[in-house]
Amino acid sequence: NEPDKDFFLIIDEINRGNLSKIFGEILMLIESDKRCENYSVTLTYSNEKFYIPENVYIIGTMNTADRSVAFVDYALRRRFAFIDIEPCFNEEKFRSYLVNKSVNKEIINKIITKISNLNTEIENDYRLGKEFKIGHSFFTSNIDINNINLWFNNIIENEIIPLINEYWFDDIDKFNIEK
């Protein structure tokens, strides 16, 4: 009803369900050339006509490293653009964010250097690959400005090391991360 306004439907972890069954006939309706009344379908229970207008954007997020869930099938894959979001440890925005949160330069340099090196090792491991790299989000929330060292150590000990242990459970000496 508002063609001049954009609307967004955001589906987090879109690959966790059987998307062909969930979307059903909507798969056809989300194609860019079928977003008009001419391609409307009749809804089963209400007999109303339904279509997806051009000003509705569907954004699906997923963690591609999560291999325990279904892959996105090709019919759905054709209808979306896929954008990889890489960790941004070497971006000035990340460094500035931490500086603005009162994280000292020594800790910032440790984060950037050690996690970037770890990510190189993860990406080069044939069992893992780039989808398993450690993201910058580990270091962007719940920053305790009263005890930066404790904050950093907690992330390493309680989040990063357990993750690495899971990655290399069969080769624990593969990469030894120091605080």
Side-chain angles (χ1 to χ4, degrees):
N1 294 332
E2 298 180 48
D4 296 332
K5 188 175 177 184
D6 290 336
F7 294 88
F8 297 87
L9 172 63
I10 300 173
I11 305 169
D12 192 22
E13 300 199 28
I14 194 168
N15 59 323
R16 287 209 164 261
N18 182 331
L19 297 173
S20 295
K21 287 184 179 179
I22 292 168
F23 279 98
E25 291 183 53
I26 291 177
L27 271 180
M28 179 194 71
L29 300 180
I30 64 177
E31 291 183 35
S32 59
D33 64 336
K34 298 195 175 47
R35 289 176 164 240
C36 62
E37 240 174 306
N38 294 346
Y39 288 96
S40 61
V41 296
T42 303
L43 297 174
T44 305
Y45 298 106
S46 66
N47 287 329
E48 292 179 42
K49 292 283 189 181
F50 176 80
Y51 71 97
I52 298 176
E54 290 181 34
N55 62 334
V56 172
Y57 298 91
I58 301 171
I59 298 172
T61 67
M62 64 184 194
N63 182 348
T64 55
D66 189 352
R67 294 180 181 162
S68 65
V69 295
F71 290 101
V72 177
D73 81 6
Y74 295 114
L76 190 66
R77 186 173 284 280
R78 283 195 329 262
R79 290 159 172 92
F80 283 88
F82 283 74
I83 301 167
D84 286 337
I85 298 176
E86 295 280 329
C88 69
F89 292 105
N90 293 314
E91 300 286 327
E92 185 54 39
K93 283 183 179 182
F94 177 69
R95 182 181 294 275
S96 296
Y97 176 83
L98 294 178
V99 167
N100 290 337
K101 294 290 186 176
S102 302
V103 178
N104 65 54
K105 290 184 189 221
E106 180 186 339
I107 297 288
I108 293 171
N109 289 335
K110 269 187 182 181
I111 292 169
I112 292 169
T113 302
K114 290 186 179 292
I115 303 300
S116 293
N117 290 341
L118 175 60
N119 278 340
T120 299
E121 193 73 23
I122 290 168
E123 185 172 12
N124 291 334
D125 189 310
Y126 73 94
R127 298 167 293 185
L128 299 172
K130 72 177 190 168
E131 293 87 6
F132 287 83
K133 291 197 289 192
I134 307 295
H136 56 275
S137 63
F138 281 101
F139 302 96
T140 59
S141 62
N142 302 321
I143 298 175
D144 182 358
I145 61 171
N146 296 316
N147 197 336
I148 295 296
N149 287 322
L150 179 63
W151 165 79
F152 173 73
N153 289 336
N154 280 336
I155 292 170
I156 297 301
E157 289 175 12
N158 301 322
E159 298 180 52
I160 305 295
I161 289 175
L163 185 61
I164 293 169
N165 286 337
E166 196 172 310
Y167 285 176
W168 288 306
F169 69 92
D170 60 342
D171 189 5
I172 204 66
D173 296 326
K174 172 80 174 157
F175 196 84
N176 184 15
I177 188 166
E178 297 174 19
K179 289 186 255 173

